[in-house]
Amino acid sequence: MNRTRAILVAIGLLATPLVAQKPAASLGGFRFSTAYENEFNANRVQYGVRSTGEIGRKVGCGSCLTGGFWPKGSGDAYTYNSGAQVTGIIAGAKSASNPWGGDTAGGSFLPSGQLEHGTPFSEMFNSDSAVDPSNWPASARVPRGDATELLYHSTLRGREFAADGNLWFLTWEGDPARNGGRAHPLGVLAEVRLLGWNYPVGNDDLLYVVITYYNISSANAADYASYRPGMREKLLEAGQKFQALNNAKFGITLPVGGYTIAPFLAGFTTDFDVGGAGINSASVNLPNAFAFAWQTNFSQPAAWTFDPRLFGKPFFAGSGFVGMKFLKTATPSPTINLVSASVGGGAFGEPGNTTRLFRYQSGDIRPELGVSCNFGDPLVTHICYIKQDTPADARVFQSAPAVTLSPGGSTTIALAYLHAAPVAIPGYAGGAPNVTPVDVLRLGNAQQLALGSPKVDSIAGYAGYSDANGDGVVQPREMRTVPRSLYGKAQLAQAVFDAKFLLPSAPEPPDFFLIPGSNKVTVVWKPSITETAGDPYFEIAKNAATVPAGGGAPVPNPLYDPNFRKFDLEGYRLYRGRTDQPGALTLIAQYDYKGTSFDDYDGRVGENITCGPEFGFGNCVAFFDPIVPGVPRTKKITHDIVGDLVQVRDGDRTLLSNNAVAVLTADTSGRSYSKGARPLTNSGVPFVYQDSDVRNSSAYFYAVTAFDYNSIQSGPTMMESLRVAKRVVPVVPAGNLLNTASLEQGVYGRKGIL
């Protein structure tokens, strides 16, 4: 579709209009700041966060049992607390000029015995508290200008926010006033970013955490010059403060240019409490780089709720799973260097000091340390201890492969918290007998895995294995999984991260012009560039199977959505108000295109249909291809995009015991996403609107937005561009106004002259 222009021809309209765009008002200060603790609940995940580095700790209650809940507002407890731990060896020989050379040091960003070193280095900023995005600090924007920008799609870089929910803060272990279990700090600052989305299906049960670790042992500005503006100043401040505090504390002189940390190791410790402490088991899926926990008998704890949209078939109503997955480590595919399930003591207890923490993270665990591993040599198996008999207080320790951090150097680890209902399998839907982890190494052995999986892995969503590239090595996406299960969400999280967090997006706002007249304002706008560019997410969603990053045979694409429309822009909305605040503008007109259609390949359209293709059952299954992971669907039903078009997504309907399909919730024309939106009428888009409900000499503000219509499986059915307000004052034209021009008559839209 050609980019076009709208020209309204009338006498005097080419006079210079009284139009100006008022800059956003500055609110000053830290309007987003929540000081040093906050609650992240942008989607269905509700976790307390402290800027010491703790994630999953109850806000405002230091002694409360649990701070991680799913779904939010339910009180269903899954995580007591979690946080990062770092260790390393300071390079070089010990000398007066390098007083810490050769030392093993580290820091814990969560309380773990004596280890509690996280100290806030910034306030915490949460986009849920946003009033004016212009006040989101530069350092907290989606990175643009240094290596961390490569984690995000180019369309996100530099924006205030990447997700529906965004939380950002800086913390460090460099304060020598907090020195339990160590001789001195290591010299590391952590930039922590939490992200959460309400789509696509299953992604609303995930919490993403991106942590960049910086070696701030140097006090030289040049060592931080390669970082983006806003961040480099913070790092220099941290480096100079680190040297000043530690030189004074220990009576030494650290090298002004800092020191290298080699190796540097980073890990994560999570105290899972599904339904309470002492009643959990834990296991690991090494090929997919995640550990997980569950209540050993999948009971229904008192006062818990089991929303059928989450726990309906193929799942069952019982306490679910919680997992911690690495999405990025120093290896090409994320890997776990060592994982172990502590029980608060015994075989694999708390490290107690940073020297032992270093051994834990590196996998160098010896009998003389008093630590017992039950899965062979941890340097080979990457597993130390998994309790396999009775329930316990399951705490999971995971470390990532080592890197070298030069002065001012950095490394990033990304991870996801996973939450999912248990899958009903033949002969088991909760209760006795207890389900404990067995044969944990089988998931990484292609020959053994072909014979079947342990019971708990099937309940977690494992649905089979196929050696797609024939190399005899279990690859992460060669495992088939149940959609919306724990295993399915682990693959989904990796796919979202690999796509650089690119998800369905709202159209770009159109350019528009305001032409004042006597007691009237004429609004003229151009088509949004999205009309020709389309939604970039289409390239991710269009294929049923994709080739893994390392090559080989295609494997199922967790983000495949045959219903997703590339050219999804449906129409435009006009708003008017007396201030430039977006929320104060009132919808005065809406137009949507004629001739647009929605292709339904998997029975998403229809509020009262008695069919669920995802269950393989119902009177409309014959209209659609069977849903097989990795296989494209070809049969479709085409619907005109008009009126109250209804869509349902996975989890919006359930299969009842009598094999009837019940619709639990549905979306009607995107109204649940676009407050105040009007029904779609196939009105056509004139690209011009004359507003006569105004008065001379009064200031008015207008905004023109573009809205789309797309698949509910991947995101909101309707998304709308930002409201960018412009100011105009209607006036009586001057009596001596003389205006001449060469005019081309006509109003033009995306299909030519209207």
Side-chain angles (χ1 to χ4, degrees):
M1 301 174 187
N2 296 324
R3 294 188 63 183
T4 54
R5 54 200 173 96
I7 304 174
L8 180 66
V9 178
I11 297 176
L13 289 186
L14 293 184
T16 302
L18 299 175
V19 180
Q21 183 171 352
K22 181 180 178 181
S26 175
L27 299 178
F30 296 107
R31 180 60 63 92
F32 290 91
S33 174
T34 54
Y36 301 109
E37 65 174 18
N38 197 13
E39 198 160 62
F40 189 93
N41 56 6
N43 49 18
R44 285 198 293 234
V45 180
Q46 180 180 350
Y47 272 56
V49 184
R50 295 182 179 180
S51 55
T52 55
E54 298 173 72
I55 301 174
R57 187 68 177 266
K58 184 77 170 178
V59 170
C61 183
S63 61
C64 291
L65 293 179
T66 303
F69 302 91
W70 175 77
K72 70 178 177 183
S74 66
D76 300 354
Y78 280 82
T79 300
Y80 170 75
N81 198 10
S82 66
Q85 295 174 310
V86 296
T87 59
I89 297 177
I90 295 172
K94 191 179 295 292
S95 64
S97 61
N98 187 18
W100 290 349
D103 288 358
T104 299
S108 180
F109 293 98
L110 82 160
S112 176
Q114 296 185 68
L115 306 183
E116 187 175 357
H117 310 120
T119 306
F121 199 81
S122 75
E123 296 179 80
M124 184 181 292
F125 297 88
N126 189 344
S127 62
D128 283 353
S129 306
V131 175
D132 181 359
S134 66
N135 287 309
W136 189 251
S139 51
R141 286 173 173 258
V142 180
R144 182 176 63 186
D146 59 32
T148 56
E149 74 173 18
L150 299 178
L151 301 177
Y152 304 90
H153 193 268
S154 59
T155 59
L156 299 175
R157 297 170 193 167
R159 292 186 178 184
E160 288 86 0
F161 313 131
D164 291 338
N166 309 262
L167 192 150
W168 179 93
F169 62 92
L170 300 175
T171 185
W172 73 335
E173 52 75 57
D175 187 349
R178 308 193 74 180
N179 238 22
R182 64 181 185 178
H184 56 74
L186 180 60
V188 171
L189 178 141
E191 177 190 4
V192 183
R193 188 183 304 270
L194 279 70
L195 302 167
W197 285 267
N198 287 292
Y199 54 89
V201 169
N203 204 35
D204 43 358
D205 300 316
L206 308 182
L207 170 59
Y208 295 85
V209 181
V210 180
I211 306 177
T212 300
Y213 297 104
Y214 300 89
N215 177 346
I216 45 86
S217 62
S218 171
N220 290 334
D223 288 323
Y224 309 108
S226 64
Y227 296 107
R228 63 191 188 276
M231 196 63 208
R232 67 174 71 128
E233 294 81 4
K234 294 284 188 183
L235 295 172
L236 178 59
E237 177 190 351
Q240 294 176 344
K241 186 175 181 180
F242 174 77
Q243 292 221 349
L245 288 176
N246 285 278
N247 286 344
K249 171 72 174 180
F250 299 105
I252 58 174
T253 301
L254 293 171
V256 176
Y259 45 74
T260 295
I261 304 173
F264 170 78
L265 290 145
F268 224 80
T269 295
T270 310
D271 188 348
F272 295 126
D273 282 348
V274 183
I279 55 176
N280 289 180
S281 292
S283 189
V284 61
N285 181 325
L286 279 177
N288 281 279
F290 73 93
F292 58 101
W294 65 97
Q295 193 175 132
T296 314
N297 64 356
F298 297 97
S299 72
Q300 296 184 359
W304 274 39
T305 58
F306 297 96
D307 188 335
R309 290 173 297 180
L310 297 173
F311 293 87
K313 291 183 179 181
F315 307 98
F316 66 87
S319 55
F321 289 98
V322 58
M324 172 64 66
K325 173 174 167 49
F326 282 152
L327 301 170
K328 179 188 184 303
T329 59
T331 50
S333 294
T335 56
I336 295 177
N337 193 55
L338 182 79
V339 62
S340 190
S342 164
V343 294
F348 191 91
E350 301 289 344
N353 58 65
T354 54
T355 300
R356 178 170 287 207
L357 177 63
F358 178 83
R359 290 192 178 276
Y360 278 13
Q361 291 191 326
S362 64
D364 183 17
I365 299 174
R366 305 172 185 176
E368 58 265 30
L369 293 175
V371 179
S372 300
C373 295
N374 60 352
F375 277 90
D377 183 352
L379 291 175
V380 176
T381 66
H382 301 286
I383 302 174
C384 178
Y385 178 78
I386 301 291
K387 185 173 173 58
Q388 296 181 279
D389 46 15
T390 56
D393 184 8
R395 306 177 187 182
V396 177
F397 169 90
Q398 298 168 233
S399 68
V403 297
T404 295
L405 283 188
S406 59
S410 64
T411 187
T412 298
I413 289 178
L415 46 95
Y417 292 76
L418 316 170
H419 307 85
V423 177
I425 63 173
Y428 189 81
N434 285 345
V435 179
T436 55
V438 295
D439 203 7
V440 173
L441 293 174
R442 173 175 289 199
L443 292 174
N445 186 308
Q447 291 181 334
Q448 293 183 18
L449 193 56
L451 301 177
S453 70
K455 185 175 183 178
V456 70
D457 299 285
S458 296
I459 300 171
Y462 172 83
Y465 165 72
S466 175
D467 189 6
N469 58 10
D471 64 356
V473 178
V474 179
Q475 307 294 328
R477 285 172 54 192
E478 289 179 337
M479 291 185 186
R480 296 191 298 274
T481 63
V482 176
R484 298 189 294 129
S485 68
L486 181 78
Y487 275 33
K489 288 173 182 175
Q491 292 182 334
L492 173 68
Q494 191 66 58
V496 169
F497 179 81
D498 291 346
K500 300 182 183 295
F501 297 117
L502 175 65
L503 292 174
S505 56
E508 290 295 320
D511 194 10
F512 68 97
F513 311 92
L514 304 177
I515 305 169
S518 180
N519 292 318
K520 66 181 179 181
V521 172
T522 301
V523 185
V524 181
W525 67 96
K526 294 181 178 180
S528 163
I529 61 173
T530 302
E531 296 216 18
T532 54
D535 192 318
Y537 182 73
F538 175 77
E539 296 302 316
I540 295 171
K542 69 179 181 179
N543 294 316
T546 57
V547 176
V555 293
N557 176 13
L559 296 172
Y560 174 54
D561 183 357
N563 292 353
F564 196 82
R565 306 169 67 223
K566 179 177 182 178
F567 298 104
D568 59 350
L569 194 145
E570 184 63 21
Y572 296 88
R573 296 186 179 119
L574 280 72
Y575 296 86
R576 182 190 65 211
R578 299 304 301 274
T579 75
D580 63 351
Q581 296 301 309
L585 300 176
T586 301
L587 180 67
I588 59 174
Q590 174 179 298
Y591 302 100
D592 63 284
Y593 282 113
K594 300 176 183 178
T596 55
S597 60
F598 181 83
D599 292 334
D600 183 13
Y601 287 86
D602 52 7
R604 298 287 168 200
V605 176
E607 189 170 11
N608 298 309
I609 59 175
T610 57
C611 165
E614 66 269 34
F615 307 123
F617 181 84
N619 61 8
C620 69
V621 170
F623 293 121
F624 304 102
D625 294 313
I627 297 177
V628 179
V631 178
R633 279 158 244 162
T634 58
K635 298 178 182 179
K636 66 181 180 179
I637 298 177
T638 299
H639 302 269
D640 184 17
I641 301 178
V642 67
D644 292 337
L645 193 63
V646 172
Q647 288 191 60
V648 296
R649 63 178 188 170
D650 282 352
D652 285 348
R653 54 193 171 195
T654 188
L655 187 63
L656 303 178
S657 57
N658 62 354
N659 284 335
V661 176
V663 176
L664 303 172
T665 186
D667 170 73
T668 305
S669 295
R671 290 183 184 176
S672 60
Y673 298 97
S674 300
K675 185 178 180 180
R678 300 177 181 178
L680 303 176
T681 62
N682 281 345
S683 61
V685 180
F687 289 95
V688 60
Y689 176 82
Q690 187 173 93
D691 184 10
S692 299
D693 190 20
V694 295
R695 295 294 178 264
N696 288 341
S697 303
S698 296
Y700 295 90
F701 294 86
Y702 290 83
V704 181
T705 65
F707 67 90
D708 60 19
Y709 188 86
N710 220 316
S711 169
I712 194 174
Q713 188 74 356
S714 291
T717 54
M718 279 189 178
M719 301 180 78
E720 186 175 6
S721 63
L722 295 175
R723 300 177 192 176
V724 181
K726 294 184 180 182
R727 180 178 180 272
V728 65
V729 178
V731 293
V732 176
N736 61 349
L737 176 65
L738 181 62
N739 194 21
T740 61
S742 298
L743 304 178
E744 178 185 351
Q745 298 189 24
V747 178
Y748 293 81
R750 67 175 174 180
K751 293 186 177 180
I753 192 165
L754 304 178

